[in-house]
């Protein structure tokens, strides 16, 4: 049995994590914390869990005192809040899986530039592994600190990785137009997150400035072996869940759809959570699951390729992927506890 | 291993059934049929299943020839289509769980009155058991033919049963105002089911004429020991799933909320799939699960009681309950394969 | 030209009022106030108005100083906030149309009971007229202070009025099951109003305790000539706008649907904003308009009548009705500025 | 008074056209046709019009006989259906405004290539004017045959026109990622248009093959003075109305956002229906109106520009623009009948 602690359990990603941890037969949820709902039962905050996860939310200080009771600590806090806690847990030999942004960027300078904060755990960065299992599985196995990827980044990197790795597209041509359900905005009280302000409308936001940009650039740059700058434009869509990432690149040479599909199948054909599909992905086909669907088209008229990837932002884009990382670290079957099929409707 | 066949697998209820059967470790899906998608892969019709349930949809005639390969047959067809098939399966000693309406009403006359069809299997009615496990568990154990309850009826009967059984309300005072997500209208091509016609609107429909009325009346009449006529008004709500049933009754005598809660807990306290809650139920708290949440209020000013129950119409109102019935029949743990927690968001 | 001031213009009802006032050829918006957005342009708060209503939001104190510049003051504030302001405006001979609850209840005791506040303008109550034009048109013509009805109450009273007035139903049998879009919850920052908490779910709320209850009871009691207590249950539906009120009553004597339709047509046949329809109303058919659709059914089996009324909660349930009241007071065509057809889709 | 006929009045665009024609004080709707609802009252098909537009839908043959009674004919039919009818009307000296695709493409070869049909009215093409008022206002004034632009094309061309006309971007770099509400798919009975199939999901469709591609290319090529090929990717969003077009181009030279805004204001500053805004557009801010909101950002890191435009697909993208064209042709104020403000919520 793996004893886990979850810090930040009452955010949307945190509560989704609880769902999968509760669904995992090898896991015992030892404690969960909430800043907003301290001392309140988790199932009072999320009544769907009533009778199943009635743990009382503790505060983070108490969690720190109970670190010795767990094997792995999941952190689902806003950026800038994970530094100390991760350090303390690692010092006790506890595995840390951080769903936030604090350990995703290798460069503390870039972190500061995009997040406006000094990085307070630069020493830990070296050991942090970017938790995109399909790319870093081997490193993850032996890692103590996982930087669980962002939602947009998961969809976007998985979609573009083979193209970049195989040197098939002009590196300065990449444009990612991504669309997310409203749960991606979190559960904070903001006018822009009210039902009446999101429903029946679509908008772009964070145009040229969204913080997932450097994360995508970092990983694709590693794949390419050179620095990549790209355009990333996120949009808010009136639905609860799901990310669709529509990725564009200019092909260096003419290549057919069939050849590209072969390449994608070579990369991902054995992955349990990636489906390379001939059809154009829809988010509903992965909703509720840890799956990522990827389809592509070549536009012969313009010699561009369009790769479209779909994930559930709260699952493959957050909680499901976190559990997938845990499974890899602990040598379990990779789909344990997260082998739930999508519910389309 | 239980070998199952599913007839009508590509309707919304049918495909949800496939989800739970696939999730059930003791079940093997031997075949599935579809009238509309004969010879097409199930996962082409519902691409969320791609890579997991790729069975080809066969036609119903072929299913009949393969009856000997299965232990239980699930039928998810429109009313009037189950008579022959059920008879054939039963004749071969196969358990039948019918998700349609053909065996729910004890009286062939009432069936004809509400469905406009002659009942063609009157002889089977006697052995059919109404598959509301929380009420008929013992009879279900030994049954060969289960009439799986309708979605509205499940929510409504569970909500009102203790009140009626305990003789607490005036029997001629019952009003049920129910609200359903659009999946309840099925996947048939109708203008009224188009996105543009359902979204951003609520309407009542089938006022005084909905076919779930006699089904609710039958079961509550049995509970009361006398004939009940009631008002049932269904509404269509712009969401995919969920039924909320708001039930009203005039209290015979003054009784407190606390006393009523005690009674409800007495009836349902040990049920795995019913949660008696102090809060007012919301459909999102049962979405994706086989749960039914029930809450109630006494209106002292008018001496009326309001009981509100919430289910997922495709699960506790159809597919999940069908698997629950199967579990009871085969002596399995009642929650096997259907112990999935709701996803609220 | 009628010079108007709007207090509380940046709430959902307030901004809808601005829409219709801007659309009204006889109206000049002299000022508008906002507590939350003082000194900010109205069109920055609601960018749909950009280039059309760019007035700066002033604070309420400034509005008080500018009362002499207007002919009519619209107040769209939370309950308890209108007393002083109304008094000041009335003292200057300005007509007041209050969209809030402060002058709707004739009894200060009942106000205190349901709103938990002492009524601070009991002296004004006598002159306040309940602004349901279809019932009180003549009194409104000569009124200085209009209590614009609540949204649920408008739909419910219009639906039940002829039945009660004609003494057709048992007065202790009335049940109103109402459903509202989320804009009814206002623009306040509450977790329960977030997109992720409302979307894909329906719930009841305020069961037995909603403040529109005494308002409906008051008006129906006046119509009946005796005191009525009734059950009112509001529900929240995942859509922006619209109220559907499903009203139930036990018929005193057998009466046919045709007879009832005749009665409803007698009451409302000449009304510009009420449509008595044979079909069952849907909120989308009145969306964006000041219309109220009413349909009904007799359930012969139970001798009950079901009346269903649909309005746009922000228009006939708030802002449109307020302008309708203004038109009546100022002797304009009643539909001036509010003769906008619904957009169904 | 302008007497108009509308052919294809019961499609989503057609019915929206009826809305604005009914709202137009200089217009008399002489007849309207419907293939699907012949002899049925228009308000029975769209009950929101009940009491206001109760005209009986006639068949197209009858419309042809009544051409002499009208001054202008609006055609809202699927492509390939306008050729004959337009010819007949033009022959009688009637102005024709075609909301379909048959006269939008100057080249019959390109028409055939993308629509798979022989163009049967090549002779009329020469006189057809592309009805994008902001670009072709002068030509429209004297035109007899207007090809009303497509919905995606309106948003996309308006967004990119100044960039292309001013030679600011690499012509082979244009990518348009567009998102539409479901009404764009029309009212045809298709499984993919069902509520349950669209709600809570986003997908791309028609990738590299959508028929609005050549229309956008044609107009931008004219603006550029050379042939342009571009990538156009439409997406379906779970909302009724609205198109957001996110347009990407590589800047030829460094240029600031301020400079670009100046250019856009130079082009559109005097337009009544275009708002150049500093904020990022959202479709809800133009919903229900004939407005087009445009905002832009320069991504200095990649030297790309992102222009985002928002329209109501049924209005500026169809019916509103058609009336705008009529107003120009008949020398009326351009916003007559279509000066309705957006309702954001």
């Amino acid at each position: 049995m793996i004893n886990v602690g979850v810090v930040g359990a009452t955010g949307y990603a945190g509560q989704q994590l609880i769902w999968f941890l509760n669904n995992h037969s090898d896991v015992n949820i030892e404690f969960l914390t909430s800043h907003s709902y301290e001392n309140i039962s988790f199932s009072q905050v999320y009544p769907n869990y009533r009778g199943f996860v009635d743990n009382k939310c503790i505060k983070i200080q108490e969690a720190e005192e109970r670190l010795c009771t767990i094997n792995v600590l999941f952190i689902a806090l806003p950026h800038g809040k994970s530094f100390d806690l991760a350090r303390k847990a690692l010092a006790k030999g506890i595995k840390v899986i951080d769903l936030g942004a604090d350990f995703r960027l290798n460069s503390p300078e870039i972190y500061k530039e995009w997040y406006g904060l000094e990085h307070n755990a630069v020493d830990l960065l070296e050991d942090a592994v970017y938790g995109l299992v399909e790319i870093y599985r081997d490193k993850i196995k032996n890692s103590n600190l996982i930087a669980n990827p962002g939602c947009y980044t998961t969809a976007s990197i998985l979609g573009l990785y083979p193209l970049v790795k195989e040197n098939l597209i002009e590196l300065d041509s990449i444009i990612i137009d991504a669309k997310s359900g409203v749960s991606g905005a979190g559960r904070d009280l903001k006018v822009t997150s009210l039902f009446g302000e999101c429903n029946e409308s679509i908008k772009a936001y964070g145009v040229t400035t969204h913080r997932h940009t450097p994360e995508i650039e970092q990983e694709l740059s590693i794949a390419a072996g050179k620095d990549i700058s790209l355009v990333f434009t996120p949009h808010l869509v009136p639905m609860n869940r799901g990310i669709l990432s529509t990725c564009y690149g200019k092909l260096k040479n003419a290549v057919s759809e069939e050849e590209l599909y072969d390449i994608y199948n070579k990369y991902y054909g054995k992955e349990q959570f990636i489906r390379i599909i001939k059809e154009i992905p829809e988010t509903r086909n992965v909703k509720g699951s840890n799956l990522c669907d990827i389809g592509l088209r070549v536009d012969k008229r313009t010699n561009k390729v369009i790769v479209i990837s779909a994930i559930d932002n709260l699952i493959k884009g957050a909680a499901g992927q976190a559990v997938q990382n845990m499974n890899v670290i602990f040598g379990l079957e990779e789909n344990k506890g997260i082998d739930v099929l999508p519910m389309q409707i």
Side-chain angles (χ1 to χ4, degrees), chain A:
Chain A
M1 193 62 67
I2 303 168
N3 290 311
V4 312
V6 178
V7 171
T10 58
Y12 284 151
Q15 67 84 27
Q16 183 69 74
L17 182 59
I18 297 297
W19 199 97
F20 283 107
L21 293 173
N22 177 71
N23 191 54
H24 195 302
S25 56
D26 293 355
V27 165
N28 168 49
I29 300 174
E30 186 64 28
F31 61 76
L32 49 83
T33 84
S34 169
H35 180 67
S36 312
Y37 299 99
E38 193 184 312
N39 270 329
I40 294 176
S41 157
F42 181 72
S43 63
Q44 215 171 322
V45 186
Y46 288 97
N48 49 320
Y49 291 92
R50 196 186 319 254
F52 298 93
V53 185
D54 298 315
N55 309 36
K56 189 172 281 192
C57 300
I58 64 173
K59 56 180 170 180
I60 207 164
Q61 290 80 353
E62 193 180 339
E64 291 185 7
E65 290 162 18
R66 289 168 61 180
L67 283 176
C68 52
T69 65
I70 60 172
N71 306 109
V72 54
L73 180 71
F74 291 92
I75 309 177
L77 294 177
H79 66 268
K81 305 286 187 188
S82 301
F83 301 132
D84 287 352
L85 187 61
R87 187 188 306 284
K88 284 176 187 160
L90 290 167
K92 292 191 191 303
I94 295 160
K95 304 284 185 180
V96 172
I97 298 176
D98 183 22
L99 283 77
D102 286 350
F103 299 103
R104 291 180 192 155
L105 296 175
N106 300 332
S107 153
E109 291 75 28
I110 293 179
Y111 180 86
K112 187 176 177 189
E113 183 187 338
W114 289 80
Y115 287 89
L117 274 186
E118 208 65 49
H119 198 291
N120 276 335
V122 179
D123 55 313
L124 300 179
L125 278 179
E126 201 176 332
D127 291 329
V129 175
Y130 192 71
L132 200 48
V133 178
E134 288 77 10
I135 296 181
Y136 292 112
R137 186 173 284 112
D138 288 339
K139 291 179 75 173
I140 292 165
K141 280 178 190 162
N142 304 304
S143 171
N144 295 311
L145 172 56
I146 297 292
N148 206 55
C151 51
Y152 283 123
T153 57
T154 297
S156 303
I157 295 168
L158 290 176
L160 285 164
Y161 186 78
L163 287 180
V164 168
K165 187 80 180 174
E166 296 286 326
N167 197 21
L168 292 165
I169 55 172
E170 305 284 355
L171 296 182
D172 65 352
S173 75
I174 299 173
I175 288 172
I176 301 170
D177 190 286
K179 298 91 180 167
S180 173
V182 180
S183 64
R187 212 189 188 212
D188 297 337
L189 287 180
K190 295 178 287 189
V191 168
T192 51
S193 293
L194 293 178
F195 185 87
E197 313 287 316
C198 300
N199 191 37
E200 292 298 292
S201 192
I202 180 169
K203 67 172 179 183
Y205 67 99
V207 182
T208 76
T209 62
H210 194 281
R211 286 161 171 165
H212 284 181
T213 311
E215 193 179 329
I216 304 171
E217 288 180 345
Q218 165 182 291
E219 293 304 316
L220 294 182
S221 295
I222 293 170
K226 23 186 129 145
D227 278 356
I228 293 179
S229 289
L230 51 79
V231 179
F232 171 66
T233 312
H235 296 73
L236 199 69
V237 177
M239 58 186 194
N240 281 352
R241 291 164 175 264
I243 281 180
L244 193 81
S245 195
T246 312
C247 309
Y248 301 90
K250 188 168 184 61
L251 289 165
K252 286 190 168 163
N253 301 296
V255 54
S256 71
E257 263 170 41
E258 292 66 34
E259 291 170 290
L260 290 180
Y261 268 110
D262 285 347
I263 290 166
Y264 272 73
N265 277 314
K266 189 184 75 180
Y267 274 78
Y268 296 133
K270 292 184 182 155
E271 291 297 335
Q272 296 186 62
F273 292 116
I274 299 186
R275 299 190 292 198
I276 304 302
I277 64 175
K278 291 289 176 190
E279 292 78 10
I280 302 295
E282 311 185 24
T283 58
R284 65 181 174 137
N285 287 328
V286 297
K287 190 172 56 171
S289 82
N290 197 49
L291 292 164
C292 174
D293 277 358
I294 301 176
L296 62 85
R297 291 293 181 273
V298 170
D299 189 21
K300 288 181 192 164
R301 300 166 58 257
T302 59
N303 204 31
K304 295 199 173 128
V305 59
I306 302 114
V307 183
I308 300 177
S309 56
I311 62 168
D312 184 314
N313 60 310
L314 294 180
I315 305 181
K316 183 61 180 168
Q321 184 149 263
V323 175
Q324 188 183 357
N325 273 298
M326 182 195 77
N327 286 341
V328 171
I329 290 175
F330 287 86
L332 307 175
E333 304 228 355
E334 198 169 308
N335 68 354
K336 191 132 203 192
I338 48 175
D339 60 341
V340 179
L341 285 203
M343 283 197 194
Q344 188 200 64
I345 296 162

